[in-house]
Amino acid sequence: MRKVQVCPYNPTWADKFNEEAIKLQQIFGDLLVHIYHIGSTSVPGLKAKPIIDIMPVVENITLVDTYNEGMQRIGYEPMGEYGIPMRRFFRKGGEDRTHHVHIFEIDSPEAIRHLAFRDYLRVNPAISESYGNLKQHLATQFPTDMERYIEGKNDFVKEIEAKAVKWYKESN
C-alpha cells in the first residue's frame, strides 16, 4: 500500500528532473520536441509528494509505443494511456514512486493544461501556498488512501486549472 507523503519543497527536485530529462533524451532522441518539469515538484516553494513529474512532448504520440523497451531498461513501467486519451504514461519506482512521465503531442489540450497549472502556481504564491496546505492536510487525514487524497484535491485543482488555462491562453 502506497503511503501518502507530502514534503516541503526541495530544491534538488529540479536537479532530479534534469538528470532524468537527459536519460529520456537519450532514449527518445529526435522524437522529442521538448521536455518539461511539471507537477508540484516544479513549483518553487510548493509542498509536494516527492515524485518528479516529467512531460515530454512529441509530434506523434503513437510512435512512443515503440520505445517501451528502452523505458523499461531505465526502470520505467509502461502504462499506456492510463486513463487519459492520447497520453503515454510511465512510472518508475514501484510502490516507492520516484518519477512519472506523461507524454503528449505538442499543443494538446492536456499538455497545455499541465503547463498552465504549473505556470499559474509559479506566479501566484498565495494560491500555491493554499494548495500546498490542502495537500498536507489531506496527506495527514488519509495517510494510506491515495484515492481519497486525490479526490480531496479535485475541486481545488479543477477550479485553479480553469483559471490557469484561461490566463495561460491570454498571456501566450
Side-chain angles (χ1 to χ4, degrees):
M1 179 177 297
R2 284 181 53 211
K3 183 174 178 355
V4 181
Q5 177 187 15
V6 173
C7 306
Y9 177 76
N10 185 335
T12 66
W13 291 337
D15 296 330
K16 290 178 180 182
F17 160 76
N18 289 325
E19 291 166 10
E20 209 67 14
I22 290 168
K23 294 176 188 175
L24 295 173
Q25 181 64 55
Q26 291 169 344
I27 294 210
F28 291 102
D30 291 340
L31 185 65
L32 296 180
V33 175
H34 205 295
I35 303 176
Y36 297 99
H37 186 185
I38 61 167
S40 295
T41 62
S42 70
V43 180
L46 180 57
K47 297 171 190 166
K49 293 189 316 285
I51 300 170
I52 309 302
D53 284 291
I54 302 169
M55 187 180 72
V57 293
V58 297
E59 293 282 343
N60 183 341
I61 196 70
T62 60
L63 297 177
V64 172
D65 296 330
T66 63
Y67 293 84
N68 285 349
E69 189 176 297
M71 289 294 281
Q72 288 171 321
R73 277 196 302 272
I74 63 168
Y76 283 92
E77 178 184 4
M79 304 296 293
E81 289 184 332
Y82 203 63
I84 299 178
M86 298 298 290
R87 167 178 79 163
R88 295 301 181 271
F89 180 68
F90 300 85
R91 60 187 183 193
K92 186 175 191 176
E95 289 300 312
D96 290 322
R97 276 306 135 70
T98 59
H99 297 80
H100 290 158
V101 173
H102 315 255
I103 304 177
F104 293 103
E105 287 185 351
I106 191 165
D107 296 328
S108 77
E110 291 293 333
I112 291 167
R113 178 179 63 84
H114 282 289
L115 294 173
F117 190 74
R118 177 200 68 187
D119 292 353
Y120 192 77
L121 290 178
R122 284 178 174 175
V123 300
N124 289 284
I127 295 170
S128 179
E129 182 178 5
S130 294
Y131 183 43
N133 291 338
L134 172 63
K135 293 193 302 177
Q136 183 132 55
H137 170 76
L138 291 167
T140 302
Q141 189 175 6
F142 306 112
T144 59
D145 192 339
M146 188 63 71
E147 286 185 25
R148 302 260 324 259
Y149 167 82
I150 291 169
E151 185 180 295
K153 299 186 313 175
N154 192 51
D155 289 345
F156 183 93
V157 168
K158 293 294 182 205
E159 179 184 334
I160 299 307
E161 272 181 357
K163 293 176 184 175
V165 169
K166 183 177 185 293
W167 166 83
Y168 188 84
K169 288 179 177 178
E170 289 171 356
S171 62
N172 285 315

